[in-house]
Amino acid sequence: MPKMPWHPASGTGIVTAENAKKVIRLARYGCTNRPFFHIVVMESFKEVRAPPIEQVGTFDEVVNERNEKLVSLNFERIQYWIANGAQMSKPVAELLGLSGFFPIHPRSYMLAWRNRQAADAEAAAAAAAAATAESAKQETEAKDC
């Protein structure tokens, strides 16, 4: 009878490709100051630049002339890998939430809230600057009369 390999949970420490945890994550490509990401399926213990099992999408985070960030996703293959136990990194989960594949990630809501707060503060500062400029203009007109 052939000797069967031990199960990884038995404490052997041997991890093979068949029982390794798979993860869907971003792999950075592109040039300096021009990042471009591939959305890939890899073993979790491999380096980001290691050859992936499969590429399931791309993400170009630099905005184009229409102020768009381009994303392409193969939803069928992503669904296959998730069904086979693949985990996702947080940036990929955010992208899938924004694309409608998953519920919107809480980090997306927090980022939108921070952007709204910053825009409101900037608008309030601009209004205050306009009001002080208007009052200064009225004071100079009053002194001239």
Side-chain angles (χ1 to χ4, degrees), residues 26-42:
L26 297 175
R28 187 183 191 276
Y29 291 90
C31 303
T32 306
N33 297 327
R34 183 62 176 92
F36 184 82
F37 296 94
H38 288 185
I39 302 169
V40 296
V41 178
M42 302 180 78

Side-chain angles (χ1 to χ4, degrees), residues 6-25:
W6 289 2
H7 191 272
S10 64
T12 60
I14 300 171
V15 178
T16 61
E18 294 85 31
N19 62 14
K21 188 170 103 174
K22 308 291 190 285
V23 64
I24 302 173
R25 64 183 177 194

